[in-house]
């Protein structure tokens, strides 16, 4: 089955800095890669996703990149704000089912 | 608010007991997914139902079962509970033509004592 590794487990940045979270996956059949944000005590929320036929996708201050050959993908957050503080999960899934295998999460702390 | 509802919010029960968690998907969503989130295992997919039929199965224990009813709400039944079953249980739903857009409910926190 699919195995998703996520690093780092904790990331502490100053407000305004950039943050990068990296994930690797094992199953070459995976072709859909969503990222979820989970605030403390809340539900996971889909914030951005990327498909294997695309190398990069941006949405305002967040961007995702995908290197299918190397089987890794990353989340980039620019100009971080305190409200970006949360746990971020990457996931990989085969396009047919869209059933995600999640990474273990990265706790992002943005200091004002 | 995602539009997905789950009850109860919290559940405290003893080992060996059986509980039922309930999920109502967003209006119009035919797919329901169940996930377990724990410190040990992280966020794991358990099972998916689509319009009343089981569609996919993940790391769901034999002690656990689920179903989706004609009104599309779903129930997750957990039996012979063990301490290790303590976790947050989320359900999510998606619309048929966009299965990748999963909207999570607020979760049920289960504590087994």
């Amino acid at each position: 089955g699919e195995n998703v590794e996520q690093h780092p487990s904790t990331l502490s940045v100053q407000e305004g800095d950039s943050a990068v979270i990296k994930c690797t996956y094992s199953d070459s059949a995976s072709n859909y890669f969503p990222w979820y944000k989970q605030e403390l005590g809340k539900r996971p929320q889909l914030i951005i996703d990327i498909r294997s036929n695309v190398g990069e996708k941006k949405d305002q201050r967040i961007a995702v990149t995908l290197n299918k050959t190397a089987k890794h993908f990353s989340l980039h957050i620019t100009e971080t704000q305190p409200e970006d503080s949360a746990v971020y999960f990457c996931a990989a899934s085969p396009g047919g089912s869209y059933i995600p295998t999640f990474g273990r999460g990265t706790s992002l702390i943005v200091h004002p | 608010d995602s539009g997905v509802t789950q009850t109860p919010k919290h559940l405290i029960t003893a080992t060996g007991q059986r509980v039922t968690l309930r999920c109502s998907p967003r209006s119009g969503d035919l797919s329901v997914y169940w996930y377990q989130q724990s410190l040990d295992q992280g966020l794991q997919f358990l099972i998916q139902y689509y319009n009343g039929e089981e569609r996919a199965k993940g790391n769901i224990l034999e002690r656990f079962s689920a179903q989706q009813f004609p009104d599309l709400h779903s129930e997750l039944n957990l039996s012979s509970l063990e301490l290790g079953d303590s976790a947050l249980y989320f359900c999510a739903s998606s619309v048929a033509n966009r299965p990748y857009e999963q909207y999570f409910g607020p979760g049920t926190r289960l504590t087994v004592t």
Side-chain angles (χ1 to χ4, degrees):
Chain A
E2 177 63 275
N3 181 48
V4 178
E5 300 282 341
Q6 182 172 349
H7 300 280
S9 56
T10 306
L11 182 56
S12 185
V13 300
Q14 289 295 128
E15 183 177 359
D17 287 351
S18 294
V20 180
I21 302 170
K22 298 183 179 182
C23 291
T24 60
Y25 64 99
S26 61
D27 190 349
S28 55
S30 289
N31 59 6
Y32 175 68
F33 307 91
W35 286 86
Y36 288 85
K37 175 184 181 182
Q38 187 177 25
E39 295 174 0
L40 191 61
K42 301 281 181 67
R43 73 196 78 197
Q45 288 187 283
L46 178 67
I47 55 170
I48 196 167
D49 57 15
I50 192 167
R51 295 175 188 280
S52 60
N53 57 350
V54 175
E56 184 175 1
K57 183 176 178 181
K58 284 184 182 178
D59 183 3
Q60 298 180 17
R61 294 185 298 107
I62 60 173
V64 290
T65 58
L66 171 65
N67 183 326
K68 205 161 185 273
T69 304
K71 294 198 187 74
H72 65 74
F73 56 115
S74 301
L75 176 72
H76 305 251
I77 305 175
T78 58
E79 299 170 29
T80 53
Q81 300 166 3
E83 52 265 38
D84 294 329
S85 296
V87 178
Y88 291 80
F89 293 93
C90 64
S93 63
S97 72
Y98 295 104
I99 302 297
T101 298
F102 290 93
R104 292 305 301 265
T106 295
S107 177
L108 174 64
I109 303 162
V110 181
H111 300 280
Chain B
D1 186 1
S2 66
V4 179
T5 60
Q6 288 186 248
T7 56
K9 199 166 184 159
H10 301 279
L11 199 46
I12 302 174
T13 190
T15 54
Q17 295 298 304
R18 172 189 166 95
V19 297
T20 297
L21 313 184
R22 183 188 168 105
C23 167
S24 291
R26 296 185 318 155
S27 177
D29 286 0
L30 300 180
S31 267
V32 169
Y33 309 78
W34 285 98
Y35 295 90
Q36 179 194 59
Q37 185 174 36
S38 66
L39 285 175
D40 287 347
Q41 302 293 329
L43 189 54
Q44 284 197 110
F45 165 72
L46 295 178
I47 196 163
Q48 178 201 2
Y49 277 81
Y50 178 84
N51 202 20
E53 300 288 326
E54 183 184 302
R55 177 64 66 92
K57 221 167 185 176
N59 298 321
I60 187 165
L61 299 171
E62 284 191 16
R63 300 183 285 108
F64 296 1
S65 65
Q67 52 185 328
Q68 187 178 28
F69 294 87
D71 67 353
L72 300 178
H73 92 270
S74 178
E75 293 181 355
L76 180 67
N77 301 296
L78 315 176
S79 61
S80 303
L81 285 167
E82 302 175 359
L83 295 177
D85 297 327
S86 296
L88 257 176
Y89 291 85
F90 289 103
C91 82
S93 72
S94 67
V95 69
N97 62 348
R98 289 197 303 277
Y100 42 88
E101 277 183 25
Q102 294 187 23
Y103 294 87
F104 280 71
T108 293
R109 182 171 292 282
L110 173 66
T111 302
V112 182
T113 62

